Amino acid sequence: MAQVGEQVLVRLPDGTVRAYRRGITLAEIARDAGAHGALAARLDGAERDLATPLEADATVEWLTFADPAGRSVYWHSSAHLLAQAVRELFPQARLAIGPPIEDGFYYDFDIGRPFLPEDLQRIEDRMRELAARDQPIERIYVPRDEAMRRFEGRGETYKAELLRGIPDDPVSFYRQDGFEDMCRGPHLPSTGRIKAIKLLSTSGAYWRGDERREMLQRIYGISFPSQEELDAYLARLEEARRRDHRRLGRELGLFTFAPEVGQGLPLWLPRGATVRRILERYIVDLEESLGYQHVRTPDLASIELYKISGHWEHYRDNMYPPIRVDSEELVLRPMNCPHHIMVYKHHQRSYRDLPVRIAELGTMYRYERSGVLSGLARVRAMTLNDAHIFCRPDQLTDEFIGVVRLIQRAYRDLGLRDFWYRLSLRDPRDRAKFVHNDEMWDHAEGELRRAMQALGLACVEARGEASFYGPKLDVQVPNVLGKDETISTVQIDFYLPERFGLEYTGEDSRPRRPVMIHRGVLSTMERMVAFLIEQYAGAFPLWLAPEQVRVLPIADRHLSYARRVQETLRARGVRAEVDASSERTGRKIREAEVMKVPYMLVVGDREAAQEAVSVRSRVRGDEGSQPLAAFIDRVTEAIASRRHDEE
Ligand code: TSB
Ligand code: ZN
């Protein structure tokens, strides 16, 4: 764009180009362009305050609360407001850092004691007062040694340390209402933009995340442009708490963790192990009916195996260090593929044998940073419903489609309806993460797109999300917080067959190279169970419920009949328990409800005499007395059909 005299030409987000006088601010342009929601802007790609004057032609994009970058600015300014309020109420507090996070913001303070709930309330009130004063937020520049003098003079040791770590001179600060904080911004134009504020929690946090350094006090908060948005967010948060699989896992006795065992290493309790076993049986049976061959291979392997596969080069950050025994170096496997490849290589394969589908409930170990561990959803020891399909190039599309159909079938049976497809491609610039061979990637990505077209499924492309060895289709499922997680994955791989020199004998008796598909349908048992707990808020569908029926004898004299009912149910494959406690019936019913047992059978004199049961369903309530045999027929039929409407 050419410059015309004292004018600058500005390309706006709608593609139009307007001329303005040189020196006009972004705020004025926003007003002129009717961009009322603008909180900050991107000027030729760089984020800037709205107060920034324009000295040259530029392309402008607005950052609003609707986009993640805009929200970051909003929450960053909210963090400053929090620091200002704390500084006013606790003048002795020393400030550390206060960034925006994915949902809201936090700020770390050194005040020598934890914040109390009443402190939080006062701070929040003060933030609201400060926001109501609607003070401008201005960027100022301070010479470096002047800034250092100020920090040291006020005992702001953390800020001084931060400053020592950056080369800037002068240093950028943001000032509002007399409060200043060293910061590169950008920020909102004024504090009044922050309309609805909630401080959510406090916790201890080590300075710089280093446990040898000072323990600081962190305050988490969230803010929105309107009270309605804040209320909706808090309601969502409450619902997420209600469904949180970590809390339900504890209350329903499904799984636990112990510091003596280690972080991210789950202990499946009997009820959780039951849910897992039902899922495992379900998927193994289904896979066998579709021509998968299940194998068992060890959780360890020689590091040489992972050097051949490329994991050691590209995936080492997620692997545990080698264990030396005798003359071998062993690693805990982070993936099962190399073992399955060795199974493929066990004997010569011919074109007629393909596709070979090798499956395993394969246990694997990944080093995940402690900060990202989350209940069962992200762990360090996990069992994947894994398979590797070895096929001829001409079979690739059909095999891929077969896997997607299997995923769809499993989701139907599990009642998962809310999911979307993500095409995870490589980022060609990231040479460390992805093996380099442009031709191979283009080919694999092309095959993947073709298969998706053949299926007629819509998908979203994501650069940089591929595996190091190839592109993949990921099935993304939103969790209770609305963030999505990968459950199923189907990956096309031309790389590992090459690395391992895989072959089959072609029709012409010449050696040919197979293609590999890596696929997980139910994901890891850990992640799937975490997900199902949240999806059903702990009330598993009948076929998955760890305890399907609980028999409640009214008095001790009905115990022997209750036991007989239990045995009859168990003999028919129904998971039944008896509440043999001396509690009153009402109490027993409530306890069964808390444990979300689908059916309660109350038995007293009449039931014992008539070989009957009084049925209470988890959702429909009292259903009256029925012959035991009729109830068993009904419940076994509902279990076998995996119906979700059995209730
Ligand atoms: C599908 N080699 C392939 C396999 O053949 C593989 O391992 N792919 S993966 O790396 O994408 O992992 C498969 C699935 O495991 C992921 O899609 C995800 O659902 C699940 N998963 C990955 N990491 C974790 C973790 N830390 N905790 C729980 N589940 C995980
Ligand atoms: Zn694999």
Side-chain angles (χ1 to χ4, degrees), residues 112-268:
R113 65 159 175 89
F115 287 107
L116 305 170
E118 50 271 32
D119 297 330
L120 239 54
Q121 190 56 55
R122 277 172 65 215
I123 298 166
E124 190 184 297
D125 292 342
R126 178 61 66 98
M127 286 175 75
R128 235 174 259 125
E129 287 163 33
L130 293 170
R133 291 224 289 267
D134 193 16
Q135 294 294 305
I137 304 175
E138 297 160 311
R139 186 173 197 173
I140 51 173
Y141 291 93
V142 180
R144 188 184 171 80
D145 36 337
E146 161 70 18
M148 191 58 94
R149 256 199 312 281
R150 277 194 216 169
F151 288 150
E152 285 172 348
R154 287 204 310 254
E156 290 282 12
T157 48
Y158 303 101
K159 293 291 180 192
E161 186 177 328
L162 289 173
L163 178 53
R164 262 177 250 122
I166 57 173
D168 308 12
D169 192 7
V171 196
S172 160
F173 278 69
Y174 277 80
R175 181 167 63 198
Q176 67 209 30
D177 217 355
F179 169 81
E180 284 176 7
D181 201 358
M182 180 170 73
C183 182
R184 289 190 177 135
H187 278 280
L188 300 175
S190 71
T191 57
R193 293 290 189 111
I194 304 168
K195 301 286 188 206
I197 302 163
K198 181 80 192 159
L199 295 184
L200 296 166
S201 61
T202 63
S203 70
Y206 291 108
W207 168 233
R208 307 213 125 156
D210 180 348
E211 68 218 35
R212 290 159 306 187
R213 304 292 308 269
E214 296 83 342
M215 169 69 95
L216 306 174
Q217 299 304 321
R218 176 170 299 178
I219 298 180
Y220 286 98
I222 187 103
S223 56
F224 286 93
S226 73
Q227 188 62 38
E228 295 77 70
E229 284 163 283
L230 176 61
D231 291 345
Y233 174 81
L234 294 177
R236 254 196 335 274
L237 208 60
E238 184 48 42
E239 179 63 10
R241 276 203 194 107
R242 197 177 73 80
R243 291 174 176 265
D244 188 336
H245 81 275
R246 293 165 300 186
R247 187 178 64 78
L248 286 168
R250 199 166 46 240
E251 289 173 9
L252 300 176
L254 298 169
F255 64 90
T256 188
F257 291 89
E260 296 85 340
V261 174
Q263 281 193 72
L265 303 175
L267 303 172
W268 293 78

Side-chain angles (χ1 to χ4, degrees), residues 311 315 334-338 340 364 366 368 372-373 376-382 384-388 467 469 472 474-475 485-491 496 516-528:
H311 282 84
Y315 204 71
M335 290 195 195
N336 310 313
C337 350
H340 291 182
M364 50 195 206
R366 293 184 183 179
E368 303 273 10
V372 301
L373 296 173
L376 281 185
R378 194 175 280 274
V379 289
R380 288 176 170 172
M382 63 204 94
L384 181 62
N385 157 226
D386 204 356
H388 295 91
S467 286
Y469 44 73
K472 53 186 181 147
D474 287 325
V475 187
E485 281 172 331
T486 304
I487 297 286
S488 312
T489 183
V490 196
Q491 312 169 349
L496 292 180
M516 266 175 84
I517 298 176
H518 306 238
R519 45 110 286 185
V521 172
L522 296 190
S523 171
T524 54
M525 295 304 133
E526 288 72 17
R527 183 168 289 183
M528 178 48 82

